[in-house]
Amino acid sequence: SQELEQSPQSLIVQEGKNLTINCTSSKTLYGLYWYKQKYGEGLIFLMMLQKGGEEKSHEKITAKLDEKKQQSSLHITASQPSHAGIYLCGADNQAGTALIFGKGTTLSVSS
Amino acid sequence: ETGVTQTPRHLVMGMTNKKSLKCEQHLGHNAMYWYKQSAKKPLELMFVYSLEERVENNSVPSRFSPECPNSSHLFLHLHTLQPEDSALYLCASSPRVAKETQYFGPGTRLLVL
């Protein structure tokens, strides 16, 4: 079965610093989704990537998909306290019926 | 606000109780999902419904019983749960069951004593 591994598991950055979170799949990626979750709450959709080489941005968050490496990265520029939370990557399962998820990366931003 | 609501937000129940979780989506979607999120584990898919028909049951114990009366509502009926069933239960919806973005509700935090 497909697995998604996220790295790092957690990180603490100073406000204003840049950071990158990675998501690596054990199998071919057909669709990659990034979500943000505040502890104990629901997931907020950030971006979806479908094609190799695709890159999308929303405010200060940029996500890229490297199909050959079966990997996606999420980059935050000039981090702010509002960026703190848990970032989860998800991918379409083989049947295309639901998503499988990584364990998440917990981001803390110190001011 | 994602357009998906869940009630209750928090629930404490004993192992002999029967309770139900409710999910409602206001997005006009045709697919709805139940996921379980436990500490230190990835989200686990439980059930998938498309136009009120169950299309996937991911080896979930029978003490969890889903119900989808229409495409806007999804229930998860709980009975004789175990303490290890304590988790955050998340509902999601998407336009269709076919590689579409899913939108999640805020979740129900369940504690089984």
Side-chain angles (χ1 to χ4, degrees):
Chain A
S1 61
Q2 185 177 11
E3 292 184 354
L4 297 179
E5 185 170 336
Q6 288 188 237
S7 61
Q9 287 186 359
S10 64
L11 72 162
I12 303 172
V13 299
Q14 201 169 20
E15 184 176 356
K17 297 294 186 184
N18 303 337
L19 64 108
T20 299
I21 298 169
N22 292 305
C23 174
T24 303
S25 173
S26 60
K27 295 190 178 181
T28 303
L29 283 168
Y30 294 102
L32 193 288
Y33 306 77
W34 283 101
Y35 289 85
K36 180 185 175 185
Q37 182 181 30
K38 293 201 171 176
Y39 181 75
E41 297 185 7
L43 280 64
I44 303 297
F45 171 69
L46 296 176
M47 278 171 279
M48 175 193 179
L49 304 166
Q50 282 188 301
K51 300 175 185 176
E54 188 172 11
E55 180 175 322
K56 287 189 178 177
S57 294
H58 175 67
E59 298 180 341
K60 294 186 178 180
I61 302 176
T62 300
K64 299 178 186 179
L65 180 62
D66 186 333
E67 211 168 50
K68 289 181 182 177
K69 290 184 180 178
Q70 298 176 174
Q71 184 178 70
S72 177
S73 60
L74 186 83
H75 184 78
I76 298 177
T77 304
S79 58
Q80 300 169 355
S82 60
H83 287 127
I86 304 168
Y87 289 83
L88 295 120
C89 64
D92 293 311
N93 65 4
Q94 200 163 5
T97 53
L99 297 178
I100 60 167
F101 286 89
K103 291 183 179 181
T105 295
T106 302
L107 171 64
S108 302
V109 181
S110 60
S111 52
Chain B
E1 180 61 47
T2 63
V4 181
T5 58
Q6 290 187 241
T7 54
R9 292 294 309 275
H10 301 274
L11 179 62
V12 180
M13 59 187 289
M15 289 190 285
T16 58
N17 292 156
K18 290 185 180 180
K19 296 285 183 184
S20 296
L21 310 185
K22 179 183 176 182
C23 175
E24 183 174 1
Q25 57 96 0
H26 308 273
L27 301 169
H29 290 168
N30 289 325
M32 296 188 78
Y33 311 79
W34 280 116
Y35 287 89
K36 176 185 178 183
Q37 188 177 34
S38 306
K40 310 287 184 184
K41 290 185 179 180
L43 268 79
E44 301 170 56
L45 175 69
M46 299 178 74
F47 302 102
V48 181
Y49 275 84
S50 175
L51 294 170
E52 303 114 61
E53 285 194 23
R54 192 189 311 178
V55 298
E56 189 155 336
N57 175 350
N58 207 27
S59 302
V60 179
S62 59
R63 56 185 184 269
F64 295 91
S65 175
E67 179 190 0
C68 188
N70 55 63
S71 58
S72 298
H73 294 85
L74 185 64
F75 295 88
L76 188 63
H77 304 298
L78 316 172
H79 64 98
T80 59
L81 293 192
Q82 305 298 311
E84 59 265 28
D85 296 322
S86 299
L88 181 68
Y89 288 85
L90 292 161
C91 172
S93 73
S94 63
R96 297 167 301 173
V97 176
K99 302 183 180 181
E100 300 260 16
T101 298
Q102 294 180 21
Y103 295 88
F104 285 77
T108 295
R109 173 68 64 184
L110 173 66
L111 178 61
V112 181
L113 300 176

